[in-house]
Amino acid sequence: MTATATPPKKQPPIFNLPNQLTAARLGLGIILFILIEYDQWLWCVGVFALAAFSDWLDGYIARKQGLTSTLGRNLDPLVDKVVICGAYIYLMNKNSGLAPWMIVVVVARELIITGLRSFLENEGANFGAEWLGKIKMGLQCAALFAIFLALREVESPLLPVDWPIFRWTRDILVWAMLISTALSGLQYLWKAFALLRKNEAEPKA
């Protein structure tokens, strides 16, 4: 009896709903950059919250409806990095509590790990998200929210007394974000090193 070849798994359409949400998040990122430039801090909070919600929603829909695709797996984290890194870069010249070296740490980590992920996955290795990377992403978002609120408090106080709770929260979250960014970068570098050593040790066909 002749074995029947298994048909290749059908890919979902490119312009499915999760990918549309990802593209919309890029548009929200551009709006966010404009709002930062013009010091519209409460609007920044709202737009960034909408972008963060769309990030959760597109992943949820993709998993629920089986719409995961190669394009989505690559485009979604790339757009996240554009929005996050772009926001930090735009905030550098504001009274945000961010030093240039802090932004270099964030951007350099994202560029290096994205490059490594692309290379290793092209080699067939599994280089998916790690738990520390997810914590890093959460703290990067939380730090941005805290920075927006602290800048709003400086320009027009939200509290009836001069109590720098927003600035304290901002500083704590910024340092927590930096530590998690550096540690997650080291975690991915160690994983990449282990995968490369494993590939070298395996006999070539």
Side-chain angles (χ1 to χ4, degrees):
M1 181 180 294
T2 304
T4 304
T6 304
K9 184 178 179 181
K10 185 179 179 182
Q11 286 285 322
I14 292 176
F15 297 108
N16 56 47
L17 182 55
N19 289 346
Q20 291 174 14
L21 287 170
T22 300
R25 185 159 70 257
L26 181 60
L28 288 171
I30 294 171
I31 294 171
L32 178 67
F33 303 155
I34 295 171
L35 292 171
I36 293 173
E37 184 68 22
Y38 288 96
D39 300 343
Q40 300 298 313
W41 306 120
L42 287 184
W43 279 102
C44 286
V45 171
V47 170
F48 187 63
L50 188 59
F53 175 72
S54 75
D55 185 27
W56 171 84
L57 185 62
D58 68 29
Y60 175 79
I61 293 174
R63 292 187 299 271
K64 197 76 172 177
Q65 299 185 4
L67 295 174
T68 55
S69 64
T70 303
L71 176 64
R73 283 196 303 272
N74 288 277
L75 187 62
D76 182 72
L78 182 60
V79 169
D80 290 344
K81 288 169 176 53
V82 169
V83 174
I84 294 290
C85 293
Y88 279 112
I89 291 168
Y90 266 84
L91 285 165
M92 184 166 57
N93 293 326
K94 307 293 182 179
N95 186 22
S96 60
L98 294 170
W101 70 265
M102 296 176 176
I103 298 169
V104 170
V105 169
V106 173
V107 175
R109 184 267 181 207
E110 302 301 350
L111 290 175
I112 293 169
I113 301 307
T114 299
L116 278 173
R117 176 178 285 115
S118 177
F119 171 75
L120 288 168
E121 291 192 349
N122 284 336
E123 295 290 313
N126 181 13
F127 202 66
E130 296 287 343
W131 63 271
L132 196 50
K134 295 177 181 179
I135 292 174
K136 177 269 307 180
M137 183 64 177
L139 286 171
Q140 285 180 346
C141 292
L144 280 175
F145 279 121
I147 290 169
F148 295 148
L149 290 172
L151 285 165
R152 177 65 170 81
E153 171 70 12
V154 168
E155 294 185 358
S156 181
L158 298 168
L159 297 175
V161 294
D162 185 18
W163 189 35
I165 184 64
F166 292 106
R167 279 163 283 167
W168 292 343
T169 304
R170 175 201 67 190
D171 293 343
I172 291 170
L173 286 173
V174 164
W175 282 102
M177 175 272 296
L178 285 169
I179 292 169
S180 65
T181 296
L183 289 178
S184 69
L186 291 173
Q187 183 184 35
Y188 278 109
L189 287 173
W190 179 259
K191 182 178 180 180
F193 177 74
L195 288 171
L196 290 171
R197 288 291 300 272
K198 181 181 177 182
N199 288 342
E200 285 182 356
E202 289 179 350
K204 303 297 181 183

